[in-house]
């Protein structure tokens, strides 16, 4: 299922529920494994990324049962119950898994090695290993600061005050997780708000986290208590459908049970600034996270200057937002988004190359992009560079294309959105995988 072919035109309509939230699913496995007692996770994302986390904990002696679709039962071993794995832990394509695991493994009595695929093996890891080292952790990287990582066990950790340079929920989470095994108090102050699922879920597992503006703190030496987790649908996966329905005239689509944590909803704000018609309906709470149904209708979009404060709140949604920008009237400008260059691919360059291949004029900036809206795409060939979100974003471009679009290297769509092609087809996208 490596190549997607999308026929031009169509619209998106009906009701769809996209798979579970990736960030929350990783954390549910981690905290469930480290809690005392049995944790039931429903709505779990059975994508390759979260399954890598699940297998890593199994390899460290945690019994995890897969009861049915999205239904997982974790027999937690407590904070001191993990055992040394027999082999390196393979985190596949997942930066979240690798970085959060650094925090967990730094607190263990045994040595571990973390490895990943080609994309993960060139992603920067010093952003977690250096602050963890200040807590006492001993983690080595390659000479260029990339995986494989070797975590030396048995190093005592000390609570530390961290001021993050990069707005990164992965770094914040790794440090808070390491803080569970540290003596004293671990605090993390972030330069801009980022997703706070770790803080919310720790609280849900009975672990006190104090939050004061940009700072989150916890005391080491406590205990996690098993607690059920209901994982909402992933707003990052819903984003492709929000964009698709916005750009395809005649669309009217309802996305069900989507997580709308305010640290994740930048995509709704940005699309609304562009003129999108998105309604948030029936807001409720599930497992400490706000969820809602999202209803989206086609509309005429206009180019905007994206406010920089929205960037961390929409960090994974820019490939989809760029497709919306290409369909808008006028120019869209993004700055302050250099982090996009170190995601599963360099999402600024790879998107710019793909947009250009489909006849869209754009200028690459060191920390963003300028996109001239054209209202439609030519057909053409796209190289997704193995990046799941690039592949899905360009699939949606088919709705406003004049000719077929072929997208190559799409296998990694399964990391975050298993069943994407089937679900998109039921909504009306004319896409096939081969
Ligand atoms: C994530 C944080 C973000 C995001 C990633 C998931 C998380 O990464 O891009 O897909 O679950 O904490 P950064 O923390 O590197 O921005």
């Amino acid at each position: 299922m490596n190549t997607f072919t999308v026929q031009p035109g169509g619209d998106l309509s009906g009701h769809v529920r996209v798979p579970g939230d990736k960030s929350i699913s990783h954390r549910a496995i981690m905290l469930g494994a480290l809690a005392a007692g049995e944790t039931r996770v429903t709505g779990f994302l059975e994508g390759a990324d979260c399954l890598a986390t699940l297998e890593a904990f199994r390899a460290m002696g945690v019994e995890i049962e897969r009861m049915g679709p999205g239904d997982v039962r974790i027999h937690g071993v407590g904070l001191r119950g993990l055992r040394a794995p027999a082999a390196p832990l393979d985190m596949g394509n997942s930066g979240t898994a690798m970085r959060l695991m650094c925090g967990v493994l730094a607190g263990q009595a045994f040595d571990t090695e973390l490895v990943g695929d080609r994309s993960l093996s060139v992603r920067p890891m010093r952003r977690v290993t250096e602050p963890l080292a200040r807590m006492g952790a001993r983690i080595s990287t390659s000479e260029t600061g990339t995986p494989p990582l070797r975590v030396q066990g048995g190093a005592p950790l000390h609570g530390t005050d961290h001021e993050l340079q990069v707005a990164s929920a992965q770094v914040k989470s790794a440090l808070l997780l390491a803080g569970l095994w540290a003596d004293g108090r671990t605090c993390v102050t972030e330069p801009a708000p980022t997703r706070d699922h770790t803080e919310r879920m720790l609280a849900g597992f009975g672990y006190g986290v104090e939050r004061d503006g940009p700072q989150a703190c916890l005391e080491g030496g406590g205990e996690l208590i098993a607690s059920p987790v209901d994982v909402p649908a992933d707003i990052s996966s819903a984003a492709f459908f929000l964009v698709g329905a916005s750009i395809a005239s005649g669309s009217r689509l309802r996305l069900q049970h989507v997580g709308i944590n305010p640290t994740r909803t930048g995509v709704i704000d940005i699309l609304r600034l562009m003129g999108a018609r998105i309604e948030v309906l029936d807001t409720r709470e599930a497992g400490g996270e706000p969820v809602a149904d999202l209803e989206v209708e086609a509309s005429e979009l206009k180019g905007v200057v994206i406010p920089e404060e929205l960037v961390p709140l929409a960090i994974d949604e820019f490939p989809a937002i760029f497709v919306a920008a290409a369909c808008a009237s006028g120019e869209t400008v993004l700055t302050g988004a250099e982090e996009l260059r170190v995601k599963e691919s360099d999402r600024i360059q790879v998107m710019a190359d793909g947009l250009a291949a489909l006849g869209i004029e754009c200028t690459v900036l060191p920390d963003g992009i300028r996109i001239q809206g054209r209202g439609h795409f030519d057909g053409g060939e796209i190289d997704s560079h193995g990046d799941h979100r690039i592949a899905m974003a360009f699939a949606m471009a088919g709705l406003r294309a004049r000719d077929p679009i072929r997208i190559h290297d799409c296998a990694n769509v399964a990391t975050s959105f298993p069943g994407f092609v089937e679900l998109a087809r039921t909504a009306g996208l004319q896409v096939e995988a081969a």
Side-chain angles (χ1 to χ4, degrees):
M1 293 302 168
N2 242 330
T3 304
F4 291 173
T5 304
V6 196
Q7 298 304 324
D11 60 55
L12 300 184
S13 50
H15 289 47
V16 295
R17 179 165 172 162
V18 300
D21 188 280
K22 183 151 74 76
S23 295
I24 297 175
S25 295
H26 279 300
R27 288 156 171 84
I29 295 292
M30 291 179 187
L31 297 197
L34 296 169
E38 185 183 301
T39 288
R40 188 83 180 252
V41 186
T42 47
F44 175 72
L45 171 63
E46 291 173 331
D49 277 12
C50 300
L51 293 174
T53 294
L54 186 153
E55 290 303 335
F57 280 96
R58 278 185 174 163
M60 291 188 286
V62 182
E63 190 190 339
I64 306 179
E65 295 174 86
R66 294 180 64 185
M67 314 296 292
D71 188 352
V72 174
R73 191 185 293 171
I74 307 163
H75 300 269
V77 295
L79 283 169
R80 312 252 160 233
L82 296 180
R83 293 200 310 262
L89 301 174
D90 186 352
M91 308 323 304
N93 190 244
S94 178
T96 306
M98 186 169 284
R99 294 191 179 121
L100 269 59
M101 288 303 276
C102 284
V104 170
L105 297 172
Q108 305 308 315
F110 49 84
D111 297 350
T112 35
E113 186 174 354
L114 290 166
V115 297
D117 73 2
R118 228 174 45 186
S119 153
L120 185 53
S121 297
V122 295
R123 294 184 66 185
M125 293 296 150
R126 286 196 181 123
R127 56 180 59 200
V128 280
T129 59
E130 286 179 354
L132 284 170
R134 285 201 291 282
M135 296 176 76
R138 286 183 234 134
I139 307 178
S140 70
T141 67
S142 76
E143 263 175 36
T144 50
T146 57
L149 305 181
R150 289 190 183 83
V151 188
Q152 221 177 300
L157 300 182
H158 312 293
T160 304
D161 245 322
H162 301 276
E163 290 264 355
L164 300 191
Q165 303 307 310
V166 192
S168 165
Q170 293 178 356
V171 178
K172 172 178 65 174
S173 301
L175 298 172
L176 290 174
L177 290 172
L180 300 173
W181 291 274
D183 57 29
R185 191 172 168 81
T186 298
C187 290
V188 185
T189 304
E190 49 187 0
T194 65
R195 64 194 70 195
D196 63 355
H197 306 301
T198 303
E199 298 91 305
R200 285 173 186 255
M201 204 182 289
L202 282 168
F205 278 71
Y207 209 104
V209 181
E210 272 175 55
R211 294 209 258 174
D212 183 10
Q215 190 177 60
C217 298
L218 55 75
E219 293 283 338
E223 202 193 345
L224 295 167
I225 300 155
S227 170
V229 182
D230 171 17
V231 182
D234 196 329
I235 191 168
S236 298
S237 297
F240 304 107
F241 290 85
L242 292 177
V243 167
S246 294
I247 63 174
S249 70
S251 296
R252 188 192 176 92
L253 187 70
R254 192 172 174 121
L255 293 154
Q256 297 167 315
H257 205 69
V258 181
I260 53 156
N261 180 316
T263 59
R264 298 286 299 280
T265 48
V267 61
I268 298 178
D269 299 331
I270 294 169
L271 289 174
R272 279 180 172 162
L273 281 177
M274 297 176 78
R277 286 175 22 205
I278 301 170
E279 273 192 82
V280 178
L281 303 169
D282 195 11
T283 302
R284 56 224 184 246
E285 217 191 81
E289 293 278 347
V291 299
D293 286 5
L294 303 180
E295 196 151 283
V296 53
E297 270 183 75
S299 56
E300 290 300 316
L301 300 181
K302 58 178 194 308
V304 293
V305 176
I306 296 172
E308 286 199 5
E309 66 272 18
L310 291 180
V311 169
L313 311 181
I315 194 66
D316 291 338
E317 288 69 72
F318 284 106
I321 291 168
F322 292 0
V323 166
C327 295
S329 57
E331 184 182 66
T332 293
V333 185
L334 171 69
T335 54
E338 50 277 273
E339 274 298 297
L340 292 181
R341 293 200 179 272
V342 289
K343 294 296 179 187
E344 286 82 330
S345 70
D346 174 346
R347 286 187 175 156
I348 296 176
Q349 192 59 53
V350 174
M351 281 303 298
D353 292 345
L355 290 170
L358 302 183
I360 305 298
E361 225 181 281
C362 48
T363 311
V364 167
L365 309 172
D367 62 343
I369 194 167
R370 287 174 179 274
I371 298 170
Q372 308 303 326
R374 181 175 178 228
H376 68 271
F377 298 95
D378 297 335
E381 307 273 328
I382 299 290
D383 181 354
S384 79
H385 286 255
D387 186 326
H388 54 134
R389 299 202 195 281
I390 304 249
M392 291 185 276
F394 280 115
M396 290 298 168
L399 292 159
R400 280 279 276 266
R402 297 267 161 98
D403 286 299
I405 297 176
R406 271 180 17 126
I407 309 158
H408 300 280
D409 204 0
C410 297
N412 279 337
V413 165
T415 60
S416 69
F417 202 145
F420 168 74
V421 166
E422 295 73 17
L423 197 68
R425 281 167 67 92
T426 63
L429 188 73
Q430 299 168 69
V431 56
E432 274 175 32

